[in-house]
Amino acid sequence: MSNFIVRKVAVLGAGVMGAQIAAHCANAEVPVLLFDLSTKDGDPSGIARKAIDSLKKIEPSPIATADRVNHIEAANYDQHLDKLAECDLIIEAIAEKMEWKLDLYRKVAPCLRSDAIFATNTSGLSINKLAEGCPASLRPRFCGVHFFNPPRYMSLVELIPCHGTDATLLDHLESFLTSTLGKSVIRALDTPNFVANRVGVFSMLAVMHHTHQFKLGFDEVDALTGPIIGRPKSATYRTADVVGLDTLVHVIQTMADNLADDPWAHYYASPGWLTALIGQGALGQKTKGGIYRKEGKQIKVLDLSTQAYRDSNAEVADEVAALLKHKSAAERFALLRANQHPHAQFLWAVFRDVFHYVAVHLAHIAHNARDIDLAMRWGFGWNDGPFETWQAAGWKEIADAIHEDIRAGRAMSSAPLPPWVFEVSGVHGAHASFDAATGTLKGRSTLPVYQRQLFPERVAGEQENPGRTLWENDEVRMWTLDDDDGRHVPVLSFKSKMCAVGPVVLDGIIEAVHRAEREHAGLVIWQPTTPFCVGANLKQIRPLLEAGDFVGLEGIVAKFQLMSQTLKYAQVPVVAAVNGLALGGGCEIVMHATRAVCALESYIGLVEVGVGLIPAGGGCKEFAIRSAEMAARTATNDPMNWLQGIFQTIAMGSVSKSARNAKELGLLREQDIVIHNPKELLHVARKTALSLAASGYRPRLPPAGVPVAGRGGIATLEMMLVNMREGGMISAHDYLVSKSVATALCGGNVESGTLVNEKWLLDVERSLFVDLLHTAETKARLIHMLEVGKPLRN
């Protein structure tokens, strides 16, 4: 089998999507050529260059680290088409105009290598019609690749072949998108708006229709269609503002233009109020106003009855909120149908019409029900897709209710449910999902890249291997999958809320390491769901704090330090597999593991200052050692060259904006591994542990003597604090906490250059930590964090 390697990518079109697709390729260490039109005056590649520069200003940032933009080269169609021959993958991402795209294809086609893949990033245009505009020789290498916005953060990519697309090429591209770019790929059919937008936009149109039917306000509907039913906080109308009202209208128009015979065609139209807003230039978030707008600190929402903006403060009716809390989906839906409150009837109507829509269209828009459900999770942020929601609520009962509403004229369409709906008991089985086109169950893709996903995201009803428990206590579980790698490298997962660390977790980690040393080749610490670890379990230490039991509190800190040292000096490699938050003590676990394997979207930081404390689970100790090691490699032998940056990171409670950024901050080591697809994390972590074991791994010997920065270093760092205090930027207690950080990093109140050992450094940080616990201000910060969930500045 020949290797498929993407050495360079070209992105054609430096608009919002094109520039951010280019950024995400650069995040993955793939260099990019970003093309756009030539400018008449000045730099001919000025449009592309301006788009690259703008990547630094966008929030949330499309670039994992600031230097990523250096790997994107600005280009224009007049001067640089010859450079396309350098590229293995070309992604066209210009405006959604068929004639513009076809004109560009004619221009670039002669410049492409005979083995290069040419893909169009379109949200709904026909791939086959676009392919017809390509030279015949290019069609086997042409396909659609639909990224969702923003490309760095949205998991879904829809991959759409044309009639002539080479099957092997498509497999190669899917593997690249999955493993290198970290995407979740759905193979889509060439139908208008493909899978996610087809269902998601219809869902928004159904919400708009029923908003009018039930005479509800936009903010009222957003309260109903957000987290309370397992949807994103932006719900429906805020999502429209974020996407752009003009973009939403364009996608709706694509459906109107291409689906005239659809049973719901009547609804494929933009409401009058929506076209009126666009006419006024109110396009949503990008124009600072749309359905919502911000006036000072107050969020206002458009009120159609007055055509003016009012305060946004609607809530879900108490009786409806109460029934939505029922654990049983069947009970929730039965209660929704029976309850006459407009909020309940609205929700049932929206769910009913979406269920009806996906059942009628399943055979035409997706390869199986699983693809629709996962597309809605990955592309629209739903907790559950429409089919799994329906199945959980009782397949037959919901089907009968929909059928009754269709007959009574209450549904949006009179189209009957397809016969298969009444012939099955659900669409998701243990190993496969229903394909309406063939009437059969279809399993998952067997592409080799998916063998790296030991725990792919499952839909409700699909079977998952929980693994075999080797040992557990109340808050951790040591387990294995019993495959070849698993027999050598078991996994340790936390069962505590948010994977927080308390005494029982500490005991569990220590015991798991000892068991791994006795019986296995290594150990992986991995959580099946995010976060990795939010740090210390403050709730468990609160009773000791309120009782003034400082001996007990110091004992917990000492045990945390013992756990860290156990990780660091384990006789078998321990790999921390990180996805999501790794804060405070979670960061210290990562720092002391033999290696860390981190998903790109890992947010790592030592945030103890937020509750008036310092890192004392070995974090400050570890940085004192690392700074001494770094200094020994320089001519000046000065640890302050490195300590000043890490002091600022800890004193500000900074959290990395990506795993790559964590390396820049010094929170990860150069040898730690960053991958893009979190579903591959456990696979890579186990292989890393096995590779280390195969190399004859031994932990490094403890340093005989660590030269610390001492009093001179403390004084240097304290000068930064004096300026901040005098400028009113920090409080007196902030000053005390930060000085404690400086003291711990510099090895305590000793002469600069004094040689100390690890025990000394651990004693220093533990003593400073306990001293801060004695202060009323730190106690108040801890209690406030527990009760309010936000830091207190006092």
Side-chain angles (χ1 to χ4, degrees):
M1 185 182 84
S2 60
N3 284 340
F4 173 74
I5 300 174
V6 176
R7 291 178 172 82
K8 182 177 278 191
V9 168
V11 177
L12 311 181
V16 172
M17 280 301 290
Q20 293 200 40
I21 291 169
H24 195 58
C25 290
N27 287 339
E29 305 290 359
V30 181
V32 188
L33 285 170
L34 181 60
F35 279 82
D36 212 296
L37 299 169
S38 301
T39 52
K40 293 180 180 178
D41 302 311
D43 178 5
S45 300
I47 294 174
R49 205 172 309 282
K50 183 177 179 181
I52 295 168
D53 289 341
S54 72
L55 293 171
K56 304 172 188 175
K57 304 168 189 173
I58 299 171
E59 288 296 337
S61 178
I63 49 177
T65 52
D67 69 340
R68 294 298 92 191
V69 296
N70 301 330
H71 303 286
I72 308 173
E73 181 183 347
N76 67 78
Y77 301 120
D78 293 329
Q79 294 179 308
H80 303 125
L81 286 182
D82 60 313
K83 291 190 174 187
L84 288 173
E86 305 169 8
C87 300
D88 306 285
L89 171 63
I90 296 89
I91 301 172
E92 171 269 305
I94 67 170
E96 296 279 83
K97 299 273 190 183
M98 180 77 70
E99 62 275 19
W100 291 5
K101 289 179 183 284
L102 294 178
D103 182 59
L104 181 61
Y105 297 175
R106 285 188 286 271
K107 181 182 293 187
V108 304
C111 306
L112 306 182
R113 283 207 324 265
S114 61
D115 61 341
I117 298 174
F118 189 60
T120 175
N121 178 64
T122 174
S123 60
L125 295 180
S126 169
I127 302 304
N128 283 299
K129 286 183 180 178
L130 289 168
E132 289 168 8
C134 296
S137 61
L138 182 57
R139 288 173 201 161
R141 295 177 284 119
F142 180 78
C143 64
V145 55
H146 178 209
F147 287 83
F148 277 65
N149 192 23
R152 172 182 165 186
Y153 300 99
M154 294 301 291
S155 176
L156 179 63
V157 168
E158 292 174 321
L159 189 58
I160 315 102
C162 68
H163 291 318
T165 305
D166 179 82
T168 301
L169 173 147
L170 211 63
D171 289 348
H172 285 327
L173 183 55
E174 182 168 354
S175 298
F176 170 77
L177 292 167
T178 300
S179 203
T180 303
L181 296 190
K183 294 302 169 189
S184 301
V185 177
I186 294 290
R187 294 272 185 112
L189 300 170
D190 187 23
T191 58
N193 291 345
F194 312 126
V195 181
N197 275 347
R198 180 71 176 274
V199 176
V201 172
F202 173 77
S203 176
M204 295 179 79
L205 289 170
V207 167
M208 291 177 185
H209 170 73
H210 291 301
T211 299
H212 175 73
Q213 292 293 105
F214 290 96
K215 299 179 172 56
L216 303 178
F218 295 138
D219 55 340
E220 202 173 0
V221 168
D222 276 355
L224 286 161
T225 59
I228 199 167
I229 61 166
R231 306 284 169 80
K233 288 181 181 178
S234 56
T236 302
Y237 291 107
R238 286 185 190 276
T239 294
D241 270 352
V242 171
V243 168
L245 302 186
D246 54 338
T247 302
L248 176 61
V249 166
H250 170 78
V251 177
I252 293 171
Q253 192 60 47
T254 299
M255 296 170 78
D257 292 343
N258 295 281
L259 296 168
D261 297 329
D262 188 277
W264 284 267
H266 171 69
Y267 300 98
Y268 299 157
S270 301
W273 59 264
L274 181 53
T275 53
L277 281 174
I278 292 171
Q280 297 163 18
L283 307 181
Q285 189 169 279
K286 58 189 171 186
T287 59
K288 310 295 184 184
I291 299 167
Y292 292 88
R293 74 182 186 196
K294 193 171 184 180
E295 296 180 7
K297 294 185 178 181
Q298 181 63 44
I299 301 296
K300 302 279 188 175
V301 64
L302 179 65
D303 188 325
L304 290 183
S305 64
T306 63
Q307 294 297 306
Y309 286 87
R310 59 168 174 79
D311 289 352
S312 172
N313 50 20
E315 295 181 351
V316 177
D318 290 343
E319 63 185 275
V320 177
L323 68 86
L324 289 172
K325 291 178 181 177
H326 281 262
K327 289 185 178 180
S328 164
E331 285 183 20
R332 288 198 303 274
F333 275 88
L335 291 168
L336 276 178
R337 296 199 307 273
N339 192 296
Q340 294 306 303
H341 193 284
H343 285 183
Q345 288 301 298
F346 166 84
L347 283 176
W348 163 244
V350 170
F351 276 113
R352 174 201 64 213
D353 289 317
V354 172
F355 293 160
H356 185 191
Y357 189 84
V358 295
V360 169
H361 286 302
L362 175 57
H364 315 295
I365 66 173
H367 292 291
N368 56 71
R370 178 181 58 249
D371 284 355
I372 286 182
D373 282 345
L374 292 178
M376 296 314 297
R377 288 196 200 175
W378 297 335
F380 278 75
W382 293 12
N383 286 357
D384 302 290
F387 281 118
E388 53 187 337
T389 302
W390 179 350
Q391 185 165 317
W395 184 267
K396 184 180 184 303
E397 291 78 8
I398 295 296
D400 289 342
I402 296 169
H403 177 66
E404 181 184 329
D405 279 7
I406 293 169
R407 289 182 59 187
R410 290 188 288 267
M412 288 172 67
S413 169
S414 61
L417 286 168
W420 66 260
V421 169
F422 301 99
E423 296 166 0
V424 302
S425 57
V427 291
H428 299 309
H431 304 290
S433 292
F434 187 72
D435 173 4
T438 62
T440 61
L441 293 173
K442 185 171 287 187
R444 286 178 171 266
S445 170
T446 58
L447 275 181
V449 71
Y450 293 115
Q451 303 309 305
R452 297 167 59 86
Q453 298 186 11
L454 303 177
F455 287 90
E457 191 168 332
R458 306 285 185 183
V459 292
E462 198 173 4
Q463 189 176 60
E464 187 165 86
N465 180 2
R468 177 172 62 86
T469 300
L470 299 173
W471 172 81
E472 64 183 326
N473 66 19
D474 289 343
E475 294 191 356
V476 305
R477 175 180 177 241
M478 186 179 182
W479 55 278
T480 179
L481 284 174
D482 272 337
D483 56 2
D484 191 50
D485 290 353
R487 281 188 285 275
H488 298 291
V489 182
V491 180
L492 182 70
S493 301
F494 302 169
K495 298 186 286 182
S496 53
K497 186 176 180 180
M498 300 292 284
C499 300
V501 179
V504 179
V505 171
L506 295 172
D507 287 337
I509 296 172
I510 293 168
E511 176 64 21
V513 171
H514 292 334
R515 285 173 177 263
E517 288 174 331
R518 292 195 301 268
E519 302 166 17
H520 303 283
L523 178 69
V524 169
I525 302 176
W526 174 78
Q527 317 302 354
T529 59
T530 58
F532 175 77
C533 175
V534 295
N537 191 329
L538 299 181
K539 188 178 290 187
Q540 291 184 353
I541 68 170
R542 181 174 182 171
L544 297 177
L545 183 65
E546 292 180 334
D549 183 1
F550 296 105
V551 173
L553 289 166
E554 184 168 4
I556 293 175
V557 180
K559 182 175 285 189
F560 207 122
Q561 294 178 336
L562 173 62
M563 179 276 297
S564 296
Q565 295 297 90
T566 301
L567 288 177
K568 184 174 181 179
Y569 294 111
Q571 297 301 301
V572 294
V574 180
V575 177
V578 183
N579 183 30
L581 296 173
L583 304 178
C587 178
E588 289 173 309
I589 290 172
V590 174
M591 291 173 63
H592 287 84
T594 313
R595 287 286 188 281
V597 177
C598 302
L600 180 70
E601 302 308 330
S602 296
Y603 310 107
I604 303 170
L606 293 167
V607 296
E608 287 84 352
V609 294
V611 289
L613 293 168
I614 69 168
C620 292
K621 173 268 303 180
E622 201 62 18
F623 282 125
I625 293 171
R626 292 182 191 181
S627 66
E629 291 173 344
M630 295 285 284
R633 299 172 196 162
T634 65
T636 60
N637 201 29
D638 185 359
M640 295 307 296
N641 293 333
W642 199 69
L643 271 184
Q644 289 186 71
I646 202 65
F647 168 72
Q648 210 163 9
T649 297
I650 298 174
M652 298 297 291
S654 299
V655 176
S656 73
K657 295 182 179 180
S658 70
R660 292 198 185 283
N661 180 227
K663 285 195 173 188
E664 292 182 326
L665 295 174
L667 299 167
L668 290 178
R669 299 153 294 193
E670 190 54 41
Q671 64 266 35
D672 291 329
I673 299 167
V674 177
I675 67 171
H676 277 240
N677 197 320
K679 300 183 189 78
E680 298 181 356
L681 199 59
L682 183 55
H683 166 81
V684 177
R686 294 199 307 175
K687 292 295 187 186
T688 299
L690 286 168
S691 174
L692 287 166
S695 69
Y697 173 77
R698 293 281 300 174
R700 291 180 62 183
L701 293 172
V706 180
V708 294
R711 282 191 282 269
I714 297 169
T716 300
L717 297 178
E718 195 171 5
M719 286 176 63
M720 298 167 60
L721 298 176
V722 170
N723 292 333
M724 294 174 74
R725 185 181 61 185
E726 296 302 319
M729 298 168 65
I730 60 174
S731 69
H733 195 61
D734 290 329
Y735 185 99
L736 175 63
V737 173
S738 296
K739 184 177 178 182
S740 298
V741 171
T743 303
L745 290 174
C746 294
N749 191 19
V750 297
E751 287 296 323
S752 299
T754 299
L755 295 179
V756 301
N757 59 23
E758 280 188 283
K759 181 181 181 305
W760 172 274
L761 293 168
L762 289 168
D763 289 347
V764 167
E765 68 177 31
R766 187 175 69 254
S767 174
L768 291 164
F769 184 95
V770 175
D771 286 347
L772 288 168
L773 283 174
H774 279 83
T775 65
E777 292 86 354
T778 286
K779 183 177 179 180
R781 290 187 183 190
L782 283 163
I783 300 300
H784 189 269
M785 178 62 76
L786 278 167
E787 295 180 348
V788 181
K790 294 180 180 179
L792 170 68
R793 289 298 176 204
N794 56 353

